[in-house]
Amino acid sequence: MTKYMLGVEDDGSHSMLTYSDMKRSFYCLKSLCDSFGAVILKSVDVDFSMNSVPECVDGSDVKALMKAGAHVIWFHQDYPESSPPTAQSVCRIEVEISQVQVERSRVVSADGSECLPTPPPPPFHAGDCHPVKPFPGSSSSTSSSTVEGGDEDQDAFGDTVSQALRILVLGNVDAGKSTIVGSLTTQSLDDGRGSCRLQIMKHRHEITTGRTSTVSNHHMGFDDEGNVRSQNGSKVRRMTEEELVRGSSRLITFTDLCGHEKYLKTTVGGVSASMGDYALMVCNSRHPPTHMTHHHLNLCASTLVPCVIVLTKIDGCPPDQLKNTIDEVKAMCRQGDVNKVPFMVNSTSDLDECFDKMSRLCPIILTSAVTGEGMDLLKYLLFNLPKRRKHEKKLGRPFEFLVDEIFNVPGVGPVASGFVNAGRVEVGDTVFVGPLDDGTFVQTMVKSAHIARTPSNSLKAGQSASMCMSLNKNERKFLRKGMVILKENPKRSCVSFVSEICVMKGDHTTIRRNYQAFVHILNVRQTATAKKIEMFDPHEKTNKVIQTKNLSSDREAASEGGDLILRPGCRAMVLFEFGKRPEYIRPGMRMLFRDGRVRGVGIIKTIVETKGAAVAT
């Protein structure tokens, strides 16, 4: 015997559906039971249960439903008598189902094997339930024309995701980053004790300490008029990600990053791989900005990500302390390593002047997640910010999927989650995954794909998605973060490369030959060694490219100019060599390198040495 509870979400909360909706759901379940030979047990006292039926519902209709086996539980006691009838008729239904043996005649197929006949479909009444419309991307929506306009609906869904504005949320620990994100995405105010951040945190230690230690993405939508659509916007039930994306004309994706210094590696990796359009630099107005706030702001300026400073917790902040914090934030923006013009925002007209000057200005907004002060200005800013990264221009390039996470789902197989950096791919296409430790790539096939937890038939540039691949057990164990999925066979991967770097100002840094750093190249994260350094002259139209030679000898390296020393603010051409395994990189990719803190940024110029063999199949 199996017990079903209709009107209850996966987390145990009630869907708060009305009686008419629950009635249709029950008859759908009853039709399924009839088709599979199951019986709904009548385990409820009908006469006793009729005493709790609200007056706004037809009692005879409810009695017939209960006689069919539905145990209806009402919630009208929780609503005042003055509430509308739709609120008083909210309920859930409990059903007990027992599987029974159904006798079927013996059927012999064309090849002589015995099989069971397909049971006849149960009688369907148009008033009992609505026909189910399959999701775009499922086999039923593409194999026939049962869903009119299914492909167009899927394309519109994918375009909304690919055009989403990606916002990086940075700042020092305890500045209120997760609280701001939770308040914006859930459209609720904080209680002063972290109620908003609890709705978006993932791990138990994050909930207990209040400190984010992982990179997480959260969605927020706007309609055509600029009204916010959130997953908690409905009082009836929580909105799914698919419903949020489909009903939004403007989608915002927040990347909540870590603020504590011991999680700096995770934060730098998130900035490098997240493809952020803009950054929200969250500062606590009750304390002056710290060295980590300055470091995060310097990181955004070095990677050319426009930044908006959000001062939080202004409720209860003394006026003199608030003025002192604003002055120090303005001074931090004017420093040479940041070189931004601070601009105080007090109204929407101030924001209108900033939208076309975000590369130079740094708007400052005062907010409070407890009182809601300044939150409307922040929403207006997010709705009107222009899209900075034009991923649609990369649709003509070969398909390139950057892998950020690897999951092994039981019954499904290996699933790679990441970002489509270029091109497009369809379910069933042949792709190449790698590189492995020996530099080779594995040939496989895309079994399925999901966008915002919704099945899709295709993926294209600018979308954060996940795809399931057809790999055996031996091939699955070689999957890791930092890999890439390509549609064309690359054959070889990179061991060493030449990069034009610029050492960040603000920290005392010395870089010379054999300098080791942890490099971040989009989703690639690995230790690399500087084998050769040549100064870069920005006034020369063509700079000399480092030649490939054996630089194992110190004497030979010195004769080639390997004794050059780089200080903060210097630019140079550096030959890097990966320390552990080959990676897939190409010219034009941006890189960050750090040894504790971030020391510099760069761009890949040429690939010097490659490694690989025939593709494994």
Side-chain angles (χ1 to χ4, degrees):
M1 183 180 66
T2 306
K3 187 175 183 179
Y4 283 86
M5 289 187 291
L6 306 179
V8 179
E9 300 290 341
D10 294 338
D11 58 357
S13 61
H14 297 292
S15 301
M16 307 304 289
L17 298 177
T18 59
Y19 170 73
S20 58
D21 295 331
M22 296 305 302
K23 175 186 174 182
R24 289 193 292 267
S25 299
F26 172 77
Y27 280 117
C28 282
L29 180 61
K30 188 176 184 302
S31 300
L32 291 174
C33 293
D34 294 340
S35 64
F36 290 105
V39 175
I40 297 180
L41 302 180
K42 300 176 178 61
S43 58
V44 60
D45 189 347
V46 177
D47 296 332
F48 177 77
S49 301
M50 288 297 295
N51 296 329
S52 60
V53 177
E55 297 179 356
C56 59
V57 180
D58 186 6
S60 60
D61 189 56
V62 177
K63 189 172 184 178
L65 191 69
M66 290 183 177
K67 288 184 177 180
H71 183 193
V72 185
I73 302 176
W74 305 92
F75 298 103
H76 64 90
Q77 295 89 348
D78 301 332
Y79 292 89
E81 295 181 357
S82 59
S83 58
T86 54
Q88 297 185 19
S89 62
V90 171
C91 65
R92 78 170 192 267
I93 294 179
E94 295 182 359
V95 182
E96 293 183 355
I97 300 175
S98 177
Q99 183 73 28
V100 298
Q101 185 68 27
V102 179
E103 295 183 359
R104 297 181 181 177
S105 59
R106 181 177 180 269
V107 177
V108 180
S109 60
D111 58 357
S113 60
E114 183 177 356
C115 61
L116 291 176
T118 303
F124 178 81
H125 302 285
D128 292 342
C129 58
H130 295 303
V132 180
K133 179 179 179 180
F135 290 118
S138 62
S139 58
S140 58
S141 63
T142 56
S143 59
S144 63
S145 59
T146 55
V147 182
E148 184 178 357
D151 293 339
E152 291 79 2
D153 191 22
Q154 181 181 350
D155 292 340
F157 178 81
D159 291 340
T160 303
V161 177
S162 59
Q163 293 298 322
L165 194 69
R166 299 175 179 274
I167 305 295
L168 307 177
V169 184
L170 300 101
N172 190 40
V173 63
D174 298 332
K177 300 182 295 298
S178 299
T179 300
I180 284 290
V181 175
S183 179
L184 290 173
T185 54
T186 62
Q187 283 301 287
S188 60
L189 295 179
D190 191 67
D191 60 354
R193 296 185 295 273
S195 62
C196 286
R197 71 167 182 247
L198 293 179
Q199 302 188 49
I200 65 171
M201 285 187 167
K202 299 168 58 177
H203 303 290
R204 185 178 184 87
H205 67 273
E206 293 180 340
I207 297 175
T208 55
T209 62
R211 295 177 177 176
T212 304
S213 61
T214 57
V215 179
S216 58
N217 295 320
H218 309 278
H219 299 295
M220 172 186 177
F222 291 93
D223 59 15
D224 295 331
E225 299 178 357
N227 300 319
V228 179
R229 303 181 73 256
S230 67
Q231 290 183 279
N232 288 356
S234 174
K235 297 181 180 180
V236 177
R237 63 179 180 88
R238 182 178 175 85
M239 190 185 303
T240 63
E241 283 191 22
E242 179 194 1
E243 294 171 338
L244 175 64
V245 174
R246 288 191 185 279
S248 302
S249 59
R250 182 71 183 275
L251 187 66
I252 308 294
T253 301
F254 294 102
T255 301
D256 190 15
L257 300 171
C258 315
H260 200 281
E261 190 170 3
K262 70 177 181 179
Y263 302 127
L264 181 61
K265 175 182 176 182
T266 304
T267 301
V268 176
V271 172
S272 176
S274 296
M275 299 288 182
D277 293 289
Y278 300 91
L280 292 183
M281 188 63 57
V282 183
C283 303
N284 188 351
S285 62
R286 304 176 185 179
H287 301 282
T290 62
H291 67 285
M292 285 306 299
T293 305
H294 185 196
H295 192 66
H296 288 175
L297 191 60
N298 191 5
L299 179 61
C300 293
S302 301
T303 54
L304 304 181
V305 178
C307 190
V308 178
I309 296 181
V310 180
L311 294 182
T312 60
K313 307 180 183 181
I314 63 172
D315 55 297
C317 179
D320 56 339
Q321 179 61 49
L322 179 60
K323 182 179 181 303
N324 181 43
T325 302
I326 294 176
D327 293 339
E328 294 198 23
V329 167
K330 290 182 177 179
M332 182 177 60
C333 294
R334 295 190 183 99
Q335 292 185 10
D337 53 349
V338 179
N339 195 21
K340 295 286 186 180
V341 179
F343 183 79
M344 288 298 302
V345 174
N346 298 314
S347 63
T348 56
S349 59
D350 294 338
L351 288 174
D352 293 335
E353 299 178 4
C354 300
F355 293 138
D356 57 344
K357 307 179 184 67
M358 289 299 297
S359 60
R360 190 71 181 94
L361 295 181
C362 188
I364 301 176
I365 303 178
L366 306 181
T367 63
S368 172
V370 176
T371 62
E373 183 178 354
M375 300 299 289
D376 291 337
L377 288 176
L378 193 56
K379 296 171 188 176
Y380 182 82
L381 172 74
L382 295 173
F383 178 70
N384 291 279
L385 276 176
K387 178 71 175 174
R388 195 173 64 91
R389 297 183 183 269
K390 307 298 182 181
H391 296 288
E392 61 273 9
K393 295 183 179 180
K394 298 189 287 185
L395 289 174
R397 299 182 186 177
F399 177 72
E400 182 179 286
F401 184 85
L402 309 178
V403 179
D404 287 334
E405 295 287 345
I406 294 291
F407 306 95
N408 189 14
V409 182
V412 177
V415 176
S417 174
F419 182 79
V420 184
N421 193 34
R424 64 170 65 238
V425 72
E426 295 184 357
V427 174
D429 289 350
T430 299
V431 293
F432 300 89
V433 185
L436 306 182
D437 290 344
D438 58 355
T440 61
F441 284 72
V442 177
Q443 181 178 340
T444 181
M445 183 189 71
V446 181
K447 293 170 58 179
S448 62
H450 282 70
I451 306 173
R453 301 184 182 180
T454 305
S456 177
N457 277 336
S458 62
L459 304 177
K460 63 180 182 180
Q463 296 175 346
S464 293
S466 59
M467 63 172 65
C468 177
M469 298 167 291
S470 177
L471 297 173
N472 57 40
K473 292 183 178 180
N474 293 329
E475 294 170 338
R476 294 178 189 177
K477 61 183 180 181
F478 295 110
L479 297 179
R480 57 175 175 83
K481 300 179 182 178
M483 281 187 166
V484 67
I485 302 176
L486 306 173
K487 202 171 182 179
E488 297 181 359
N489 181 9
K491 295 184 179 179
R492 303 182 72 84
S493 51
C494 173
V495 176
S496 58
F497 59 93
V498 176
S499 176
E500 176 191 339
I501 69 168
C502 178
V503 184
M504 292 172 58
K505 299 179 181 179
D507 292 328
H508 300 287
T509 307
T510 301
I511 298 177
R512 52 165 59 98
R513 185 183 59 84
N514 289 333
Y515 167 78
Q516 288 188 341
F518 199 87
V519 298
H520 297 262
I521 308 174
L522 297 184
N523 64 323
V524 174
R525 306 163 192 174
Q526 193 183 155
T527 303
T529 305
K531 292 296 184 179
K532 186 177 179 182
I533 301 175
E534 287 186 0
M535 297 302 295
F536 178 83
D537 188 1
H539 300 288
E540 293 185 9
K541 294 183 179 180
T542 58
N543 283 272
K544 181 181 178 182
V545 179
I546 298 179
Q547 301 294 325
T548 6
K549 293 185 179 181
N550 184 11
L551 299 180
S552 58
S553 170
D554 292 347
R555 182 178 303 174
E556 183 179 357
S559 64
E560 293 290 337
D563 288 334
L564 292 175
I565 296 177
L566 302 181
R567 301 291 186 185
C570 294
R571 296 180 64 183
M573 303 289 287
V574 181
L575 174 65
F576 283 101
E577 181 178 311
F578 286 120
K580 187 176 182 180
R581 65 172 73 89
E583 300 283 0
Y584 173 83
I585 59 175
R586 53 176 174 77
M589 287 186 172
R590 293 189 177 272
M591 64 170 288
L592 300 169
F593 61 91
R594 62 180 184 84
D595 53 3
R597 294 191 184 181
V598 179
R599 300 304 181 185
V601 297
I603 185 171
I604 310 298
K605 289 297 184 180
T606 56
I607 305 300
V608 176
E609 184 179 350
T610 59
K611 180 180 179 181
V615 176
T617 58

